[in-house]
Coordinates of all heavy atoms in Angstrom, one line a residue:
M326 N 134.2 204.5 75.3 CA 134.9 203.5 75.9 C 136.1 203.0 75.1 O 136.7 202.0 75.4 CB 134.0 202.3 76.2 CG 132.9 202.5 77.2 SD 132.0 201.0 77.5 CE 130.5 201.7 78.4
L327 N 136.5 203.8 74.1 CA 137.6 203.3 73.2 C 138.9 203.2 74.0 O 139.8 202.5 73.6 CB 137.8 204.3 72.0 CG 136.7 204.2 71.0 CD1 137.0 205.2 69.8 CD2 136.6 202.8 70.4
R328 N 139.0 204.0 75.0 CA 140.2 203.9 75.9 C 139.7 203.8 77.4 O 138.7 204.4 77.7 CB 141.2 205.1 75.8 CG 141.9 205.1 74.4 CD 142.9 203.9 74.4 NE 143.7 204.0 73.2 CZ 143.4 203.5 72.0 NH1 142.2 203.0 71.8 NH2 144.2 203.6 70.9
E329 N 140.4 203.1 78.2 CA 139.9 202.9 79.6 C 140.4 204.1 80.4 O 141.2 204.0 81.3 CB 140.4 201.6 80.2 CG 139.6 201.2 81.4 CD 139.8 199.7 81.7 OE1 139.4 198.9 80.9 OE2 140.4 199.4 82.7
W330 N 139.9 205.3 80.0 CA 140.2 206.6 80.7 C 139.0 207.0 81.4 O 137.9 207.3 80.7 CB 140.7 207.6 79.7 CG 142.0 207.2 79.0 CD1 142.9 206.3 79.3 CD2 142.4 207.8 77.7 NE1 143.9 206.3 78.4 CE2 143.6 207.1 77.4 CE3 141.8 208.7 76.8 CZ2 144.3 207.4 76.2 CZ3 142.5 209.0 75.6 CH2 143.7 208.3 75.3
Y398 N 137.5 186.6 76.0 CA 138.2 186.7 74.7 C 139.1 188.0 74.7 O 140.3 187.9 74.2 CB 137.2 186.8 73.5 CG 137.8 187.2 72.2 CD1 138.7 186.3 71.5 CD2 137.5 188.4 71.7 CE1 139.2 186.7 70.3 CE2 138.1 188.8 70.5 CZ 138.9 188.0 69.8 OH 139.5 188.4 68.6
M399 N 138.6 189.1 75.1 CA 139.4 190.3 75.1 C 140.5 190.3 76.1 O 141.5 191.1 76.0 CB 138.5 191.5 75.3 CG 137.6 191.9 74.1 SD 138.6 192.2 72.6 CE 139.5 193.6 73.1
D400 N 140.4 189.5 77.1 CA 141.5 189.3 78.1 C 142.6 188.4 77.6 O 143.7 188.4 78.2 CB 140.9 188.8 79.4 CG 140.1 189.8 80.2 OD1 140.3 191.0 79.9 OD2 139.3 189.4 81.1
S401 N 142.3 187.7 76.5 CA 143.3 186.7 76.0 C 144.2 187.5 75.1 O 144.0 188.6 74.6 CB 142.6 185.6 75.2 OG 142.0 186.2 74.0
S402 N 145.3 186.9 74.8 CA 146.3 187.5 73.9 C 145.8 187.7 72.5 O 146.1 188.6 71.8 CB 147.6 186.7 73.9 OG 147.3 185.3 73.5
A403 N 144.9 186.7 72.0 CA 144.4 186.8 70.7 C 143.5 188.0 70.6 O 143.5 188.8 69.6 CB 143.6 185.5 70.4
G404 N 142.6 188.2 71.5 CA 141.7 189.4 71.5 C 142.5 190.7 71.6 O 142.2 191.7 70.9
Q405 N 143.5 190.8 72.4 CA 144.3 192.0 72.5 C 145.1 192.3 71.2 O 145.2 193.5 70.9 CB 145.2 191.9 73.7 CG 144.5 191.8 75.1 CD 145.5 191.5 76.2 OE1 146.7 191.3 76.0 NE2 144.9 191.3 77.4
R406 N 145.6 191.2 70.6 CA 146.3 191.5 69.3 C 145.3 192.0 68.2 O 145.7 192.9 67.5 CB 146.9 190.2 68.8 CG 148.2 189.8 69.6 CD 149.0 188.8 68.8 NE 148.1 187.6 68.5 CZ 148.1 186.5 69.3 NH1 148.8 186.5 70.4 NH2 147.3 185.5 68.9
Q407 N 144.1 191.5 68.2 CA 143.2 191.8 67.1 C 142.5 193.2 67.3 O 142.3 193.9 66.4 CB 142.1 190.8 67.0 CG 141.1 191.0 65.8 CD 140.2 189.8 65.5 OE1 140.3 188.8 66.2 NE2 139.4 189.9 64.5
W408 N 142.2 193.6 68.6 CA 141.5 194.8 68.8 C 142.3 195.8 69.6 O 141.8 196.9 69.9 CB 140.2 194.5 69.6 CG 139.3 193.6 68.8 CD1 139.0 192.3 68.9 CD2 138.4 194.1 67.7 NE1 138.1 191.9 67.9 CE2 137.7 193.0 67.2 CE3 138.2 195.4 67.1 CZ2 136.8 193.1 66.2 CZ3 137.3 195.5 66.1 CH2 136.6 194.3 65.6
G409 N 143.5 195.5 70.1 CA 144.2 196.4 70.9 C 144.5 197.7 70.2 O 144.6 198.8 70.9
W410 N 144.7 197.7 68.9 CA 145.0 199.0 68.2 C 143.9 200.0 68.3 O 144.1 201.2 68.2 CB 145.3 198.7 66.7 CG 144.0 198.1 66.0 CD1 143.7 196.8 65.9 CD2 143.0 198.8 65.3 NE1 142.5 196.6 65.2 CE2 142.1 197.8 64.8 CE3 142.8 200.1 65.0 CZ2 141.0 198.2 64.1 CZ3 141.7 200.5 64.2 CH2 140.8 199.5 63.8
L411 N 142.6 199.5 68.4 CA 141.4 200.3 68.5 C 141.0 200.6 69.9 O 140.7 201.7 70.3 CB 140.3 199.7 67.7 CG 139.0 200.4 67.7 CD1 139.1 201.8 67.0 CD2 137.9 199.6 67.0
L412 N 141.0 199.6 70.8 CA 140.5 199.7 72.1 C 141.5 199.9 73.2 O 141.1 200.1 74.4 CB 139.6 198.5 72.4 CG 138.4 198.2 71.5 CD1 137.7 196.9 71.8 CD2 137.5 199.4 71.5
G413 N 142.8 199.8 72.9 CA 143.8 200.0 73.9 C 143.9 198.8 74.9 O 143.5 197.7 74.6
E414 N 144.4 199.1 76.1 CA 144.5 198.1 77.1 C 143.7 198.4 78.3 O 143.3 199.6 78.5 CB 146.0 198.0 77.5 CG 146.9 197.6 76.4 CD 148.4 197.5 76.8 OE1 148.7 198.0 78.0 OE2 149.2 197.1 76.0
G415 N 143.4 197.4 79.1 CA 142.6 197.6 80.3 C 141.8 196.4 80.7 O 141.9 195.3 80.0
R418 N 138.0 195.7 78.3 CA 138.0 195.9 76.9 C 136.9 195.1 76.2 O 136.4 195.5 75.1 CB 139.3 195.6 76.3 CG 140.5 196.4 76.8 CD 140.3 197.9 76.5 NE 139.4 198.6 77.4 CZ 138.8 199.7 77.1 NH1 138.8 200.2 75.9 NH2 138.0 200.2 78.0
G419 N 136.4 194.1 76.8 CA 135.3 193.3 76.3 C 134.0 194.1 76.2 O 133.3 194.2 75.3
A421 N 133.9 197.4 76.2 CA 134.1 198.5 75.2 C 133.8 198.0 73.8 O 133.3 198.7 73.0 CB 135.6 199.0 75.3
L422 N 134.2 196.7 73.5 CA 134.0 196.2 72.1 C 132.5 196.1 71.9 O 132.0 196.4 70.8 CB 134.7 194.8 72.0 CG 134.5 194.1 70.7 CD1 135.2 194.9 69.6 CD2 135.0 192.7 70.7
L425 N 131.0 199.5 71.3 CA 131.4 200.1 70.1 C 130.4 199.7 68.9 O 129.9 200.6 68.2 CB 132.8 199.7 69.7 CG 133.3 199.9 68.3 CD1 133.4 201.4 68.0 CD2 134.6 199.2 68.0

Side-chain angles (χ1 to χ4, degrees):
M326 297 184 191
L327 286 181
R328 290 293 185 276
E329 200 161 293
W330 300 336
Y398 167 71
M399 287 301 297
D400 288 339
S401 68
S402 57
Q405 292 170 4
R406 283 196 306 269
Q407 184 167 2
W408 295 101
W410 63 274
L411 178 62
L412 300 176
E414 298 179 353
R418 297 301 79 204
L422 180 65
L425 168 65

